[in-house]
mmCIF file of all heavy atoms in Angstrom:
data_model
loop_
_atom_site.group_PDB
_atom_site.id
_atom_site.type_symbol
_atom_site.label_atom_id
_atom_site.label_comp_id
_atom_site.label_asym_id
_atom_site.label_seq_id
_atom_site.Cartn_x
_atom_site.Cartn_y
_atom_site.Cartn_z
ATOM 1 N N ASP C 469 -8.700 -0.298 -13.612
ATOM 2 C CA ASP C 469 -9.997 -0.569 -12.925
ATOM 3 C C ASP C 469 -10.054 -0.064 -11.544
ATOM 4 O O ASP C 469 -11.053 0.209 -11.054
ATOM 5 C CB ASP C 469 -10.207 -2.105 -12.838
ATOM 6 C CG ASP C 469 -10.807 -2.658 -14.099
ATOM 7 O OD1 ASP C 469 -11.397 -1.826 -14.870
ATOM 8 O OD2 ASP C 469 -10.810 -3.868 -14.267
ATOM 9 N N SER C 470 -8.905 0.231 -11.029
ATOM 10 C CA SER C 470 -8.909 0.662 -9.615
ATOM 11 C C SER C 470 -8.528 2.103 -9.409
ATOM 12 O O SER C 470 -9.153 2.783 -8.680
ATOM 13 C CB SER C 470 -8.059 -0.209 -8.726
ATOM 14 O OG SER C 470 -6.700 -0.325 -9.341
ATOM 15 N N TYR C 471 -7.393 2.595 -10.006
ATOM 16 C CA TYR C 471 -7.009 3.918 -9.784
ATOM 17 C C TYR C 471 -8.120 5.060 -10.056
ATOM 18 O O TYR C 471 -8.253 5.818 -9.213
ATOM 19 C CB TYR C 471 -5.735 4.309 -10.600
ATOM 20 C CG TYR C 471 -4.506 3.720 -9.997
ATOM 21 C CD1 TYR C 471 -4.568 2.745 -8.972
ATOM 22 C CD2 TYR C 471 -3.222 4.173 -10.382
ATOM 23 C CE1 TYR C 471 -3.302 2.179 -8.444
ATOM 24 C CE2 TYR C 471 -2.094 3.631 -9.885
ATOM 25 C CZ TYR C 471 -2.160 2.680 -8.839
ATOM 26 O OH TYR C 471 -0.956 2.139 -8.324
ATOM 27 N N PRO C 472 -8.797 4.964 -11.188
ATOM 28 C CA PRO C 472 -9.619 6.107 -11.495
ATOM 29 C C PRO C 472 -10.896 6.153 -10.583
ATOM 30 O O PRO C 472 -11.386 7.201 -10.401
ATOM 31 C CB PRO C 472 -10.131 5.856 -12.913
ATOM 32 C CG PRO C 472 -9.241 4.751 -13.404
ATOM 33 C CD PRO C 472 -8.694 3.980 -12.268
ATOM 34 N N VAL C 473 -11.085 5.074 -9.852
ATOM 35 C CA VAL C 473 -12.331 4.995 -8.980
ATOM 36 C C VAL C 473 -12.117 5.781 -7.739
ATOM 37 O O VAL C 473 -12.976 6.371 -7.156
ATOM 38 C CB VAL C 473 -12.682 3.550 -8.815
ATOM 39 C CG1 VAL C 473 -13.984 3.499 -8.061
ATOM 40 C CG2 VAL C 473 -12.922 2.866 -10.048
ATOM 41 N N ALA C 474 -10.778 5.800 -7.231
ATOM 42 C CA ALA C 474 -10.490 6.422 -5.907
ATOM 43 C C ALA C 474 -10.753 7.971 -6.075
ATOM 44 O O ALA C 474 -10.891 8.550 -7.149
ATOM 45 C CB ALA C 474 -9.244 6.128 -5.586
ATOM 46 N N ILE C 475 -10.787 8.550 -4.810
ATOM 47 C CA ILE C 475 -10.952 10.042 -4.832
ATOM 48 C C ILE C 475 -9.634 10.684 -5.458
ATOM 49 O O ILE C 475 -8.532 10.047 -5.358
ATOM 50 C CB ILE C 475 -11.294 10.606 -3.576
ATOM 51 C CG1 ILE C 475 -10.260 10.249 -2.539
ATOM 52 C CG2 ILE C 475 -12.730 10.128 -3.065
ATOM 53 C CD1 ILE C 475 -10.497 10.854 -1.049
ATOM 54 N N THR C 476 -9.785 11.905 -5.927
ATOM 55 C CA THR C 476 -8.720 12.502 -6.681
ATOM 56 C C THR C 476 -7.366 12.414 -5.974
ATOM 57 O O THR C 476 -6.336 11.947 -6.578
ATOM 58 C CB THR C 476 -9.075 13.995 -6.923
ATOM 59 O OG1 THR C 476 -10.314 14.065 -7.392
ATOM 60 C CG2 THR C 476 -8.083 14.587 -7.738
ATOM 61 N N ARG C 477 -7.271 12.971 -4.813
ATOM 62 C CA ARG C 477 -5.949 13.008 -4.164
ATOM 63 C C ARG C 477 -5.210 11.639 -4.147
ATOM 64 O O ARG C 477 -4.133 11.526 -4.322
ATOM 65 C CB ARG C 477 -6.123 13.636 -2.778
ATOM 66 C CG ARG C 477 -7.188 12.881 -2.035
ATOM 67 C CD ARG C 477 -7.380 13.412 -0.606
ATOM 68 N NE ARG C 477 -8.483 14.310 -0.526
ATOM 69 C CZ ARG C 477 -9.007 14.733 0.542
ATOM 70 N NH1 ARG C 477 -8.618 14.351 1.725
ATOM 71 N NH2 ARG C 477 -10.085 15.525 0.542
ATOM 72 N N ILE C 478 -6.067 10.656 -3.850
ATOM 73 C CA ILE C 478 -5.598 9.325 -3.751
ATOM 74 C C ILE C 478 -5.070 8.894 -5.182
ATOM 75 O O ILE C 478 -4.056 8.346 -5.299
ATOM 76 C CB ILE C 478 -6.656 8.299 -3.182
ATOM 77 C CG1 ILE C 478 -7.251 8.910 -1.916
ATOM 78 C CG2 ILE C 478 -6.006 6.968 -2.985
ATOM 79 C CD1 ILE C 478 -6.272 9.055 -0.900
ATOM 80 N N SER C 479 -5.917 9.023 -6.177
ATOM 81 C CA SER C 479 -5.549 8.413 -7.453
ATOM 82 C C SER C 479 -4.250 9.245 -7.991
ATOM 83 O O SER C 479 -3.410 8.680 -8.690
ATOM 84 C CB SER C 479 -6.688 8.410 -8.488
ATOM 85 O OG SER C 479 -7.338 9.600 -8.416
ATOM 86 N N ALA C 480 -4.160 10.554 -7.647
ATOM 87 C CA ALA C 480 -3.098 11.318 -8.052
ATOM 88 C C ALA C 480 -1.739 10.717 -7.362
ATOM 89 O O ALA C 480 -0.837 10.563 -8.172
ATOM 90 C CB ALA C 480 -3.220 12.766 -7.602
ATOM 91 N N ILE C 481 -1.803 10.431 -6.123
ATOM 92 C CA ILE C 481 -0.703 9.837 -5.470
ATOM 93 C C ILE C 481 -0.350 8.434 -5.979
ATOM 94 O O ILE C 481 0.809 8.144 -6.236
ATOM 95 C CB ILE C 481 -0.826 9.906 -3.901
ATOM 96 C CG1 ILE C 481 -0.555 11.223 -3.421
ATOM 97 C CG2 ILE C 481 0.002 8.951 -3.224
ATOM 98 C CD1 ILE C 481 0.742 11.818 -3.790
ATOM 99 N N PHE C 482 -1.383 7.662 -6.107
ATOM 100 C CA PHE C 482 -1.243 6.259 -6.587
ATOM 101 C C PHE C 482 -0.496 6.400 -8.066
ATOM 102 O O PHE C 482 0.468 5.639 -8.172
ATOM 103 C CB PHE C 482 -2.491 5.620 -6.697
ATOM 104 C CG PHE C 482 -2.986 5.069 -5.422
ATOM 105 C CD1 PHE C 482 -2.484 5.596 -4.175
ATOM 106 C CD2 PHE C 482 -3.987 4.165 -5.306
ATOM 107 C CE1 PHE C 482 -2.990 5.176 -2.998
ATOM 108 C CE2 PHE C 482 -4.518 3.703 -4.181
ATOM 109 C CZ PHE C 482 -4.017 4.168 -2.914
ATOM 110 N N ALA C 483 -1.177 7.079 -8.924
ATOM 111 C CA ALA C 483 -0.605 7.086 -10.231
ATOM 112 C C ALA C 483 0.820 7.708 -10.282
ATOM 113 O O ALA C 483 1.681 7.131 -11.005
ATOM 114 C CB ALA C 483 -1.500 7.976 -11.109
ATOM 115 N N ALA C 484 1.101 8.759 -9.536
ATOM 116 C CA ALA C 484 2.400 9.335 -9.543
ATOM 117 C C ALA C 484 3.379 8.424 -8.868
ATOM 118 O O ALA C 484 4.488 8.243 -9.349
ATOM 119 C CB ALA C 484 2.335 10.616 -8.787
ATOM 120 N N LEU C 485 3.035 7.903 -7.730
ATOM 121 C CA LEU C 485 4.181 7.258 -6.914
ATOM 122 C C LEU C 485 4.139 5.753 -6.890
ATOM 123 O O LEU C 485 5.212 5.112 -6.974
ATOM 124 C CB LEU C 485 4.031 7.803 -5.449
ATOM 125 C CG LEU C 485 4.344 9.239 -5.287
ATOM 126 C CD1 LEU C 485 4.380 9.585 -3.851
ATOM 127 C CD2 LEU C 485 5.721 9.504 -5.930
ATOM 128 N N LEU C 486 3.020 5.118 -6.667
ATOM 129 C CA LEU C 486 3.121 3.699 -6.417
ATOM 130 C C LEU C 486 3.707 2.909 -7.573
ATOM 131 O O LEU C 486 4.526 2.019 -7.299
ATOM 132 C CB LEU C 486 1.681 3.141 -6.063
ATOM 133 C CG LEU C 486 1.013 3.737 -4.783
ATOM 134 C CD1 LEU C 486 -0.034 2.782 -4.354
ATOM 135 C CD2 LEU C 486 1.996 4.038 -3.750
ATOM 136 N N THR C 487 3.272 3.192 -8.786
ATOM 137 C CA THR C 487 3.906 2.547 -9.871
ATOM 138 C C THR C 487 5.363 2.807 -10.044
ATOM 139 O O THR C 487 6.095 1.956 -10.390
ATOM 140 C CB THR C 487 3.203 2.806 -11.134
ATOM 141 O OG1 THR C 487 2.977 4.302 -11.215
ATOM 142 C CG2 THR C 487 1.807 2.216 -11.230
ATOM 143 N N LYS C 488 5.763 4.028 -9.727
ATOM 144 C CA LYS C 488 7.157 4.423 -9.761
ATOM 145 C C LYS C 488 8.024 3.783 -8.713
ATOM 146 O O LYS C 488 9.176 3.400 -8.957
ATOM 147 C CB LYS C 488 7.318 5.960 -9.665
ATOM 148 C CG LYS C 488 6.553 6.728 -10.579
ATOM 149 C CD LYS C 488 6.644 6.247 -11.994
ATOM 150 C CE LYS C 488 5.806 7.093 -12.941
ATOM 151 N NZ LYS C 488 4.391 6.985 -12.521
ATOM 152 N N VAL C 489 7.424 3.509 -7.561
ATOM 153 C CA VAL C 489 8.080 2.782 -6.576
ATOM 154 C C VAL C 489 8.463 1.341 -7.112
ATOM 155 O O VAL C 489 9.585 0.857 -6.919
ATOM 156 C CB VAL C 489 7.311 2.708 -5.251
ATOM 157 C CG1 VAL C 489 8.047 1.774 -4.221
ATOM 158 C CG2 VAL C 489 7.161 4.024 -4.658
ATOM 159 N N ALA C 490 7.519 0.710 -7.735
ATOM 160 C CA ALA C 490 7.776 -0.567 -8.300
ATOM 161 C C ALA C 490 8.698 -0.506 -9.385
ATOM 162 O O ALA C 490 9.592 -1.388 -9.563
ATOM 163 C CB ALA C 490 6.385 -1.049 -8.923
ATOM 164 N N VAL C 491 8.698 0.593 -10.301
ATOM 165 C CA VAL C 491 9.741 0.696 -11.323
ATOM 166 C C VAL C 491 11.162 0.884 -10.674
ATOM 167 O O VAL C 491 12.020 0.216 -11.123
ATOM 168 C CB VAL C 491 9.446 1.923 -12.298
ATOM 169 C CG1 VAL C 491 10.549 2.162 -13.117
ATOM 170 C CG2 VAL C 491 8.200 1.686 -13.055
ATOM 171 N N TYR C 492 11.168 1.636 -9.632
ATOM 172 C CA TYR C 492 12.478 1.700 -8.878
ATOM 173 C C TYR C 492 12.905 0.458 -8.471
ATOM 174 O O TYR C 492 14.135 0.033 -8.528
ATOM 175 C CB TYR C 492 12.341 2.682 -7.684
ATOM 176 C CG TYR C 492 13.425 2.648 -6.743
ATOM 177 C CD1 TYR C 492 14.598 3.264 -6.865
ATOM 178 C CD2 TYR C 492 13.313 1.873 -5.560
ATOM 179 C CE1 TYR C 492 15.597 3.142 -6.076
ATOM 180 C CE2 TYR C 492 14.288 1.693 -4.722
ATOM 181 C CZ TYR C 492 15.576 2.383 -4.971
ATOM 182 O OH TYR C 492 16.550 2.230 -4.049
ATOM 183 N N ALA C 493 11.974 -0.448 -7.867
ATOM 184 C CA ALA C 493 12.409 -1.658 -7.376
ATOM 185 C C ALA C 493 12.852 -2.565 -8.556
ATOM 186 O O ALA C 493 13.810 -3.367 -8.418
ATOM 187 C CB ALA C 493 11.246 -2.358 -6.667
#
Side-chain angles (χ1 to χ4, degrees):
Chain C
D469 275 345
S470 53
Y471 280 14
V473 185
I475 58 177
T476 306
R477 48 180 99 166
I478 308 300
S479 41
I481 280 303
F482 282 14
L485 293 185
L486 297 201
T487 46
K488 304 310 176 302
V489 176
V491 171
Y492 165 81

